[in-house]
Amino acid sequence: MGLQILVIYFWLFYAGAMEGQMPEILTMIQIKRMTPTPAVLFMAFLSLIYLISSNIFALISYVGFATWISIGLAVLCVPWLRWTAPDLERPIKVNLVWPILYIIATIIITIVPMIAAPIETGIGVGIISTGVPVYLIFVKMRKPAFITTRLNPRLPES
């Protein structure tokens, strides 16, 4: 199961980069094997960093909290968009009961650890917060022309 998660996550990094939500370098594909090599290497690097932790249960707590917060916020978009933008086209329409139940479960699963283990949940919030400067520096900032042409040599310099 661990290998399946690794395989799924590097494709998520690739897809996020294709949508402009992650650094552009993660969109590069290795020609022979058709795999996103920079995304695989990034995932391997993150895995090695996780191995530094000597307490596996604390690591599971940090990552679990961060995962529940992230997925809960993503699911929160379903009712939010249903109420604020009811005319948007939706390829899949879900009964609002399911996202609301999921959001309630997410709130319970994240609030209880905040009370029981505030340090671990604070570290989980810190893990999520590290993504903000990475996003601002590598995605939002305008890249110099020499970097853009190195990433995609077919694009003309601007």
Side-chain angles (χ1 to χ4, degrees), residues 75 78-79 83 95-107:
V75 172
V78 174
W83 292 319
N95 188 334
L96 280 180
V97 170
W98 303 116
I100 291 171
L101 286 175
Y102 192 90
I103 292 165
I104 291 169
T106 300
I107 290 169

Side-chain angles (χ1 to χ4, degrees), residues 18-29:
M18 289 295 288
E19 294 293 322
Q21 300 165 353
M22 294 191 84
E24 188 177 2
I25 194 166
L26 297 177
T27 63
M28 294 180 152
I29 297 283

Side-chain angles (χ1 to χ4, degrees), residues 5 24-25 35 37 48 125:
I5 291 171
E24 188 177 2
I25 194 166
T35 57
T37 304
L48 290 174
V125 170

